[in-house]
Structure formats: C-alpha cells, structure tokens
C-alpha cells in the first residue's frame, strides 16, 4: 500500500505540474496522450486503494486563477465532466433517454449575464468556484451580441474559442514568441484573460453557447423543459450555438461516428464530444456527485494508434533561436490521412521517449488532428544532438530551464532569426513571389532549405523535402515553383528594394535606378557623393548604401542572386514625358479613376514625380477629391499655402502632358 500511495503522490505532482503549464502558463511539457495515461493510472490506483489524496486532479475541477483580473464567486459550483472513451458506455449511460450530443469545444468556458437586453457580466470558469471577470474583453468577441432583444435577465454558458484559421494567421503575426503558441486553446486563454481588451479584439475570439442557465421574464415555457429548446431560444436571440445532434440509446453510437467524420473539416478546435440529457426536469432530479454532474458525460476519442519505425530526427530552427526535434517515420494511416512526422517539442520529451533511429514506435493523432508519439517500444536512446545549427552551421547550445532541456542557436546572424528580411524580399513591391507567406518562408528556412535569397529560386532541388512538409503536397509545391519562376523576371529597382538596405524604400529605389538608367552595375557601384546628388538621397542613406555593397558577404549574396534571376535592365524612358519631374505629390482620400493609390503613384512616378506620405513645405500639390475636407492633410496644405487639386485636374495634366 505504501508503494501505491507513493506512486499516487508522484502522479499527482506530475499531472498538476503539467496542468499548470498548459492552462496557466501556456506551455506543453507532456503530450495529451501521456497526460491521459497518467491520469487513468491515478484513477485506477484511487479505486484500488480507496485513497484520494489532497490536490489530486481527479478531485479538482479547475486550476488556480493567477491574473490581476477582478475575481467573482460563481453562484453554483461549476463541475467538470466525467468521461469515457467507449461508445458502448456512452449508449449505456444514455439508456432510454433522449440526449444532445455536441462538440466539446477546446477553449475557455465563459458565463454571460444579460439584463435589460445588455451584456452586464462575463466571468470565466476559473477553478470552478471562483472565476475572473472579463466583461470588457467579452464585448470584443467577433460574434457575440452585446445587446439582445429580450429584456429579462438571462444567464448562459458557452465556450470562447479561436478557430484554426485565425490561430494560424494570428500566430504568424506575433513575433518573438517562444516557439509561438502551441495550440488555439492556449492562445484563446491568454486572449480572453488580457488586461487590455484591445488585444483581445485583435485575437478574433468567438463564442458558442452550449447551455441556458437561467432566465427571468416572459420567455417561451418550453425552455424550462427542453435543453434543445433553450439552445434554439438562445440562437433566436442572436447567439451562435454549439453544433449538436439529438440522439437516444439506439443511435448515439451512430451520432458519434457522424461527428468523427466531420473532425477534419471542423474549423473550431475540439477535444471530444459532450452528451447531455435533453429532459431538464429529469436532469435536475439527478443532482451531482462531489466531482461531476449526473446529467452530462464527456466522450474522448479513443486514439487510433499505429506502429511504425523511426527513420530520422530533423532539427527545425526557429526565429527565437530554438531548434526543435521532429520525428520522421515510415508512413502510417491515422484517422484517414497518411502521417510521416511528429513534433517532439524539445530535447526532454525526446529523451524521455528514449528514441533511437530504427526504433519501433507507436504514433497517434492528439484530438484526432495533431500527430504525436505515444510510446517507444524499443527505447534504444541513440540520438545524437547536433552540435551545429542546421541553418547557419554555427555551434549550438543545450539549455536547461525549469527541468526542460532545449537546443538553441546563439548566432545572431542565423537566417532563421531574420525571417522578416526574407518576407520583405518576396513581398509584392519587392520580388513579388506570390503565395510565399511568412509562415511558409519560416518553414523553409527552419528546414535549412532557404539559407539565402538565391535559395528561394532553387526550390526544385528540394522537391521531396517540400512535398513531405506539413501543410504541403505536390500541388502546393508546383504552385510555389511556378510563382518563383515568374518572380525571376524583375527590374533593378525591385531588386534594390528587395535587398532591404536601410532607408531604401520602393520610391527611393526607383529614383536611384532611374538615375543609373537601370544599369545594375552602375547602381551598386555608386559612390556616396554620387548618391547624394540624387534627389531624396541624403548622407545617412548614402553611407548605409555603400556599407551594404562594400560588405564582402553581401557582394557574394547579390552575385549568387544575379545568377538565378532575369534582370530587365532596358531603359526606354522618354525624357520628354517626364513633365512632372521636380514635383512632389501627396495623395489622400478616395479615388475615382484609379483602382487604388498604388496605381496613381505608379503613373505619377512614371512621369518623373515624387510621391510622399505627408504634407510638408516640399510638397508641390495635395491630391484630394474632397477639396473642402477638414482633414489634417488639407489643413496642413492650407497652412503652408500648398495647392489642393482633385483627381480630375491630375487626369487633365496627364492628358495634356504638362502641369497647369
């Protein structure tokens, strides 16, 4: 008994540590599979011994609240749900009753209260007894009605979530996050519990109601009898409700299978299903246990496990300097898809699994989506940790923080840490490589496929690697190759801008290229004094320009690039058409004759004009179709005595070939 009690204490400590990391700190230190395995072991020991130790996660219904948000005690304790992985047990539990089978959304549970038609309070579940007041943040949820047509008091529960699509887009834009957010749930939790509601608004949090708690006033009487009626009533008030199916004991297993078939296309994160009794009067009569309500049960997918052989460990470098291990194994079919790789997150997880090349391993999809390694059957432990970075080939370092070992690259010049420069290089006004997003660039750099600009145009040398990358396939690879091929045809001004020299914007690049009549050798050979003679180029910009092209590493970078692109240096400018030379324009307001401002800028610059972003004493004309506007730019122009002209006037100048 003593040994079993000691084991229970070990399990409680490990599970609570993992829970705190996941729910409070937004870190994942063990996989869902491993957590469930340890939890089930603890549960069995508690049943076997009859002992339940203080702090056991089998007793707890939430996690410690650790923010500075206001706290509030829930009127009734919010219990967690008992769970099963057996479809047959689910049918047995439901018996002859009718129930609602719905997604178990993977986000943050919120309790909302409306009075007189207005949202007056939003409180998180917290630890089940005490939640955090997040009313201001809830008002920024993209699909949540702040006002409803019903004037009586209404309280409901639902889940705040972030969709997979929004998670990927938001994660891509958040710089310098330690290996970024691991999943939408962590991002959602951090977003809802912000002290600044402006940040919450940017995160595109959505709310799906799953339960009507209480209501006062003139409401449909059936909402007191039927759970479905309550959901439909909430839907009529403007709430998005969780997707559900009405089932009974005869078809609940079929209902589970129908949800299972929709997992791949479900845009909202889910970690299983919830089955709740439809009859509210019967539900209330059942009451609760000390831990769980008796009218609801959670269903977790029984992980489909496949056995395969580990073939390699790839080391993926990130912009933060972390180098994460990725397991590569023989293809297996899991949940209807072919899987060949799984992230290991850090060295500690890899070492705990005692992985070695050739080991027989078991793999699964966490929540039927994210591939992970469940167990290592061989446990040879023969993995060499790289001593050099896979991207920059500089020395690596193993760090140990809070018991978690990670591999890092300390080279400040590592390409993996300069994703922004690659993203700028492929952007629309630069080399214009369509479809090459920052996220894709980061993947290619982290795998060592792209180390320098020229490598972007050599992707045909890495077909197999790219096709097998997560989120890619043959069609994606072919589309990317076609975009890169098209982008090889470029002009000197685009090339100059794409290199990211300090102070060289798109407009400056065009002016410099024009001054050199599109001759690239002439451009990169400009002296500081020659540069300062070009309009708009000052001493600081000229100094930075020369420092860049005098750097031997940059010279090699540019020469390699010139070998793989096709530079159009033809210069066919009709000097007589440059009638706007010496004029500086500023554009504001909407346009009628051009698709956007960029289109007008292009025309003006083709006639020799310069276009600035703000009005100054150097401005020749402000273009604004609303001549009487009281905008800041109009006011500034009037103060400085700068003429304000409309688009029609500019069109007339372009037609005549002269200004005024």
């Amino acid at each position: 008994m003593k040994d079993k009690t000691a084991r229970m204490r070990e399990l409680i400590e490990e599970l609570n540590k993992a829970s705190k990391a996941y729910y409070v700190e937004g870190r994942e230190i063990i996989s869902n599979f491993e957590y469930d395995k340890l939890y089930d072991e603890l549960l069995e020991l508690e049943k076997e011994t009859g002992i339940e130790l203080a702090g056991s996660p089998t007793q707890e219904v939430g996690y410690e609240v650790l923010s500075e948000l206001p706290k509030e005690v829930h009127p009734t304790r919010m219990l967690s749900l008992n769970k099963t992985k057996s479809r047959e047990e689910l049918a047995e539990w439901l018996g002859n009753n009718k129930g609602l089978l719905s997604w178990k959304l993977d986000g943050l549970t919120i309790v909302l209260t409306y009075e007189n038609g207005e949202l007056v309070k939003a409180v998180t579940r917290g630890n089940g007894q005490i939640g955090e007041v997040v009313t201001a943040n809830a008002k920024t949820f993209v699909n949540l009605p702040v006002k409803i047509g019903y004037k009586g008091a209404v309280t409901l529960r639902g889940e705040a979530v972030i969709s997979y699509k929004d998670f990927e887009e938001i994660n891509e834009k958040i710089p310098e996050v330690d290996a970024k957010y691991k999943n939408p749930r962590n991002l959602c939790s951090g977003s809802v519990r912000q002290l600044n509601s402006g940040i919450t608004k940017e995160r595109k949090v959505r709310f799906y109601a799953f339960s009507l708690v209480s209501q006062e006033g003139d409401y449909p009487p059936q909402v007191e009898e039927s759970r479905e009626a309550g959901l439909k009533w909430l839907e009529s008030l403007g709430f998005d409700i969780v997707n559900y199916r009405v089932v009974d004991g005869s078809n609940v297993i079929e209902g589970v299978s129908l949800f299972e078939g929709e997992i791949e296309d479900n845009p909202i994160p889910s970690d299983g299903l919830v089955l709740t009794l439809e009859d509210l009067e019967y539900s209330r009569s059942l009451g609760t246990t000390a831990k769980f309500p008796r009218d609801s049960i959670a269903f977790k997918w029984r992980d489909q496990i496949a056995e395969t052989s580990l073939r390699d460990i790839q080391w993926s470098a990130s912009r933060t300097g972390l180098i994460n291990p990725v397991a590569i194994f023989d293809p297996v079919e899991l949940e209807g898809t072919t899987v060949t790789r799984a992230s290991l997150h850090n060295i500690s997880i890899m070492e705990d699994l005692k992985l070695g090349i050739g080991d027989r391993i078991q793999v699964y999809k966490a929540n039927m989506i994210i591939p992970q390694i469940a167990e290592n059957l061989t446990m040879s432990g023969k993995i060499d940790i790289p001593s050099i970075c896979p991207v920059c080939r500089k020395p690596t370092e193993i760090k140990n923080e809070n018991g978690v070992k990670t591999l890092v690259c300390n080279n400040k010049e590592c390409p993996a840490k300069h994703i922004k420069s690659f993203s700028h290089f492929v952007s629309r006004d630069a080399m214009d490589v369509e479809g090459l997003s920052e996220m894709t660039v980061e993947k290619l750099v982290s795998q060592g496929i792209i180390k320098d600009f020229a490598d972007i145009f050599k992707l045909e040398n890495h077909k197999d690697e790219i096709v097998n990358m997560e989120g890619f396939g043959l069609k994606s690879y072919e589309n990317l190759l076609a975009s890169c091929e098209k982008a090889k045809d470029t002009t000197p001004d685009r090339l100059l801008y794409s290199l990211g020299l300090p102070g060289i914007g798109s407009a400056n690049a065009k002016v410099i290229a024009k001054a050199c009549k599109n001759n690239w050798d002439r451009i990169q050979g400009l002296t500081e004094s020659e540069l300062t003679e070009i309009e708009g180029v000052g001493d600081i910009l000229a100094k930075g320009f020369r420092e860049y092209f005098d750097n031997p590493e940059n010279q090699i970078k540019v020469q390699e690039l010139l070998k793989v692109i096709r530079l159009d240096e033809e210069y066919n400018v009709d000097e007589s058409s440059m009638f706007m030379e010496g004029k500086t324009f500023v554009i504001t307001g909407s346009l009628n004759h051009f698709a956007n401002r960029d289109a007008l800028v292009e025309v003006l610059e083709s006639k020799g004009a310069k276009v600035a972003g703000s009005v100054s004493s150097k401005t020749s004309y402000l273009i604004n179709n609303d001549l009487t506007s009281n905008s800041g730019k109009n006011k500034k122009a009037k103060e400085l005595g700068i003429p304000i002209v409309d688009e029609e006037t500019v069109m007339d100048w372009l037609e005549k070939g002269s200004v005024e």
Side-chain angles (χ1 to χ4, degrees), residues 44-273:
E44 285 302 314
L45 284 171
E46 288 178 343
K47 289 178 182 177
E48 183 183 336
T49 62
I51 298 171
E52 292 183 0
L53 298 171
S56 171
T58 66
Q59 300 178 56
E60 301 300 320
V61 296
Y63 300 92
E64 186 180 1
V65 176
L66 291 178
S67 77
E68 299 176 21
L69 292 165
K71 312 296 189 296
E72 182 166 306
V73 178
H74 293 296
T76 57
R77 195 176 184 208
M78 295 180 67
L79 301 172
S80 59
L81 299 180
N82 199 0
K83 68 179 187 296
T84 180
K85 291 186 177 182
S86 167
R87 302 175 194 222
E88 290 71 25
E89 282 184 19
L90 212 58
E92 184 180 344
W93 180 89
L94 188 57
N96 296 322
N97 299 299
K98 187 183 288 186
L100 295 188
L101 186 65
S102 63
W103 292 116
K104 185 175 182 293
L105 300 180
D106 195 15
L108 203 63
T109 301
I110 306 285
V111 183
L112 302 178
T113 301
Y114 288 76
E115 293 177 0
N116 197 31
E118 294 191 10
L119 175 63
V120 295
K121 188 164 41 180
V123 184
T124 69
R125 179 175 180 273
N127 64 8
Q129 292 178 307
I130 301 173
E132 299 165 310
V133 180
V134 291
T135 312
N137 295 347
K139 289 180 179 181
T140 72
F141 295 174
V142 294
N143 65 334
L144 184 68
V146 177
K147 293 186 177 182
I148 57 176
Y150 184 74
K151 300 302 179 183
V154 178
T155 301
L156 64 143
R157 291 177 184 170
E159 199 82 355
V161 295
I162 291 177
S163 72
Y164 288 116
K165 180 176 179 292
D166 290 336
F167 167 72
E168 290 173 0
E169 291 179 355
I170 294 166
N171 218 7
E172 184 177 348
K173 296 175 183 175
I174 300 176
E176 304 310 321
V177 176
D178 186 9
K180 297 190 178 183
Y181 287 98
K182 291 291 188 297
N183 52 58
R185 198 269 173 204
N186 286 351
L187 178 57
C188 182
S189 176
S191 301
V192 172
R193 300 168 67 232
Q194 282 287 331
L195 297 176
N196 180 352
S197 59
I199 296 176
T200 307
K201 183 177 182 180
E202 294 173 359
R203 301 288 175 81
K204 302 181 183 179
V205 179
R206 301 174 188 275
F207 179 85
Y208 292 89
F210 58 67
S211 175
L212 175 61
V213 178
S214 65
Q215 62 285 329
E216 297 175 3
D218 186 18
Y219 52 83
Q222 58 267 34
V223 304
E224 289 191 341
E225 305 166 1
S226 162
R227 198 173 301 273
E228 182 182 23
L231 283 176
K232 287 187 173 179
W233 185 55
L234 289 174
E235 190 174 31
S236 72
L237 296 178
F239 295 96
D240 284 341
I241 61 174
V242 65
N243 187 22
Y244 70 89
R245 288 183 169 93
V246 180
V247 295
D248 56 34
S250 67
N251 65 2
V252 64
I253 293 177
E254 179 187 353
V256 171
S257 296
L258 291 172
F259 273 106
E260 184 178 14
E262 296 169 358
I263 288 176
E264 286 294 326
D265 297 324
N266 184 21
I268 304 300
S270 164
D271 58 355
L273 303 173

Side-chain angles (χ1 to χ4, degrees), residues 582-646:
K583 306 292 185 186
T584 300
F585 290 85
V586 174
I587 307 168
T588 190
S590 59
L591 299 172
N592 301 322
H593 296 284
F594 295 87
N596 50 48
R597 290 187 188 179
D598 286 346
L600 177 53
V601 168
E602 188 174 346
V603 171
L604 294 175
E605 288 180 343
S606 71
K607 304 303 178 185
K610 181 180 177 182
V611 181
S614 58
V615 176
S616 70
S617 58
K618 295 181 179 180
T619 304
S620 307
Y621 297 95
L622 172 64
I623 301 173
N624 189 349
N625 282 325
D626 186 358
L627 300 177
T628 61
S629 168
N630 287 319
S631 70
K633 287 180 179 177
N634 270 35
K635 288 180 179 178
K636 185 71 171 178
K638 289 174 182 177
E639 288 174 6
L640 297 173
I642 293 165
I644 304 172
V645 298
D646 58 19

Side-chain angles (χ1 to χ4, degrees), residues 309-315 325-330 340-342 344 350 355-359 361 373 383-384 447:
S309 293
L310 182 68
R311 293 304 177 199
D312 193 15
I313 297 290
Q314 283 187 358
W315 295 87
V326 179
I328 310 298
F329 42 80
D330 289 340
T340 60
R341 58 196 293 123
L344 296 168
M350 185 186 74
L355 291 174
I357 304 302
D359 282 357
I361 58 175
I373 295 179
I383 295 291
D384 293 325
Q447 296 298 316

